[in-house]
Amino acid sequence: MYERVYYATHPQMMAGASNQDLRDRHLVSGLFRPGEVVLTYSHGERFLIGGAVPADGVLALPHQTEPESVAGHPLLERRELGVVNIGSGEGIVTVDGEEVRLARYEALYVPMGSRTVTFAGAGARFYLLSVPAHAAFPLRKVTAADTSPMRRGSLETSNHRTISQLILPHVCQSASLCLGLTRLDPGSVWNTMPPHVHERRSEIYLYFDLEDDGRVFHYMGQPEDLRHIVMRNEEAVISPPWSVHMGAGTGSYSFIWAMAGENLDYEDMNVIDVCQLR
């Protein structure tokens, strides 16, 4: 059922790792294939990271296939799901018969216990993030009108950006999933500056709205020993709790950040002074 499985890592594993090793352990690519639902599994917070591109058809979130005792059970039996449409056209997500239309950049929170989830819309590209849950909260569509976008950075420091918190307690309740969208202004290339670390949560970044020849250099590792992964449009990266995460692109872009862990406090982070980076 899962295209790939990513195992949790220790910071000491960074020492001596080749660029290809880093890509193999942390880079998630190939999520958006027309006519398919693609799911990958990360042992960090038990994230499911996926994509669904309906094209001219209708796609369904698969049911569990293993172990044998739960084969055929709903995938969200003990999970919650966040969905964001990053495509150019409107998409339709139907949850247990309830139809929700999502425009570009709009999100949907799907509660634990949902039995059937389908995706439609010729121009839609759905980004999927799921984590284990202990409680079911209401199905909720989140639009720009539901958020209070935060403006951060400046053009002078090449990091002027708008942060929209999509799934966080003050906007949309969840058991442990936190999710948001950051869009960089033209002329800005740095995200999450200054960088930070949060030991109590893993984080996933999906970079998109890049030109075909555009790239993002995503930095990771401990502050005193940084490495980077070169990323293309619509690729995701798994950032462990011990790792700095920040990036710089060849032009402006957007990214979706998603976290899960033992708390839902957006401000739970240790900010790293740029002078500490090596």
Side-chain angles (χ1 to χ4, degrees):
M1 182 171 68
Y2 304 122
E3 181 102 345
R4 281 196 60 184
V5 175
Y6 295 81
Y7 291 93
T9 57
H10 188 278
Q12 291 181 354
M13 295 179 182
M14 297 287 282
S18 67
N19 284 0
Q20 190 59 49
D21 290 335
L22 294 181
R23 296 175 69 84
D24 290 343
R25 294 170 184 171
H26 302 282
L27 180 67
V28 185
S29 59
L31 291 175
F32 301 97
R33 298 202 294 259
E36 294 186 47
V37 174
V38 178
L39 295 176
T40 63
Y41 187 98
S42 171
H43 281 274
E45 314 300 349
R46 307 290 177 178
F47 258 109
L48 296 186
I49 308 161
V53 184
D56 294 324
V58 178
L59 299 174
L61 195 68
H63 283 56
Q64 298 182 61
T65 59
E66 55 185 35
E68 188 176 338
S69 59
V70 299
H73 287 213
L75 185 65
L76 302 183
E77 186 173 40
R78 296 185 179 180
R79 287 182 162 272
E80 58 190 0
L81 171 70
V83 181
V84 184
N85 181 10
I86 66 169
S88 59
E90 183 182 68
I92 302 170
V93 184
T94 304
V95 181
D96 292 340
E98 183 172 347
E99 183 179 288
V100 181
R101 293 179 177 270
L102 296 182
R104 182 170 172 80
Y105 301 135
E106 291 184 340
L108 180 68
Y109 171 79
V110 182
M112 176 185 75
S114 300
R115 301 188 63 82
T116 304
V117 182
T118 62
F119 307 96
R125 299 171 80 80
F126 297 106
Y127 180 46
L128 314 176
L129 291 149
S130 174
V131 291
H134 63 272
F137 294 92
L139 180 73
R140 174 76 187 275
K141 175 181 175 178
V142 184
T143 71
D146 299 314
T147 68
S148 298
M150 301 183 297
R151 295 289 284 168
R152 293 291 185 270
S154 68
L155 284 177
E156 288 75 14
T157 52
S158 302
N159 65 348
H160 208 203
R161 60 200 189 274
T162 302
I163 303 171
S164 298
Q165 299 173 334
L166 301 175
I167 300 177
L168 278 164
H170 65 286
V171 178
C172 175
Q173 286 186 299
S174 69
S176 64
L177 180 64
C178 299
L179 186 151
L181 167 69
T182 299
R183 300 177 64 192
L184 276 68
D185 289 2
S188 287
V189 297
W190 282 98
N191 66 61
T192 318
M193 179 57 67
H196 60 270
V197 175
H198 27 66
E199 286 281 354
R200 300 164 67 192
R201 295 186 293 203
S202 298
E203 187 158 10
I204 314 294
Y205 275 22
L206 173 78
Y207 291 106
F208 67 107
D209 286 345
L210 280 159
E211 300 293 337
D212 289 343
D213 60 351
R215 297 291 184 271
V216 171
F217 293 75
H218 180 87
Y219 291 88
M220 60 181 302
Q222 295 181 299
E224 67 278 6
D225 190 18
L226 288 186
R227 302 286 298 276
H228 72 269
I229 297 177
V230 180
M231 302 186 60
R232 300 169 182 260
N233 187 47
E234 295 186 349
E235 290 186 325
V237 62
I238 299 167
S239 183
W242 47 263
S243 177
V244 161
H245 34 271
M246 64 176 183
T250 54
S252 59
Y253 52 91
S254 303
F255 66 100
I256 293 170
W257 44 269
M259 299 178 285
E262 61 179 288
N263 69 88
L264 297 172
D265 180 5
Y266 177 77
E267 300 297 337
D268 178 19
M269 62 183 74
N270 297 322
V271 175
I272 307 298
D273 191 296
V274 174
C275 297
Q276 296 175 254
L277 303 178
R278 288 189 293 169

